Amino acid sequence: MAMFYFQLFDHEGVRPTEMAYEFDSTEAAIKEARTALSEMAADGLPSTEYNMLCVEVFDAQRNPIREIRLVLEEIDTSRAVS
């Protein structure tokens, strides 16, 4: 089992990477990060100030491995061109 750290960025800002999690592989850690991102989205979409949710995955030495983002894009279509 290897140790990984997650850093979360949501509508409340960035949370520190203080808790380590054990996974069998890097792929398992990334899969869990994707699940965490979907749970963050279920708790509420990002505000227009930040417009994204993000989970960053770091290895045991806190080297970055993967950044997974969900970007909310809002497009004003009320100004239709004739």
Side-chain angles (χ1 to χ4, degrees):
M1 299 279 277
M3 300 298 283
F4 296 89
Y5 293 86
F6 288 3
Q7 182 167 335
L8 308 178
F9 180 85
D10 62 13
H11 61 279
E12 296 177 4
V14 177
R15 298 181 192 171
T17 55
E18 293 183 2
M19 292 195 61
Y21 301 93
E22 286 188 321
F23 295 99
D24 291 331
S25 65
T26 300
E27 292 78 20
I30 292 168
K31 182 177 178 181
E32 181 61 27
R34 293 172 68 81
T35 299
L37 184 63
S38 68
E39 291 171 357
M40 290 165 55
D43 286 341
L45 294 174
S47 66
T48 55
E49 181 179 349
Y50 298 111
N51 84 332
M52 76 169 190
L53 302 173
C54 176
V55 178
E56 292 182 84
V57 182
F58 298 85
D59 66 14
Q61 291 76 38
R62 298 191 187 204
N63 296 312
I65 296 174
R66 185 74 48 99
E67 183 175 332
I68 304 167
R69 293 182 180 179
L70 178 63
V71 178
L72 177 65
E73 186 174 5
E74 194 171 312
I75 301 168
D76 183 359
T77 58
S78 64
R79 301 178 193 202
V81 177
S82 303

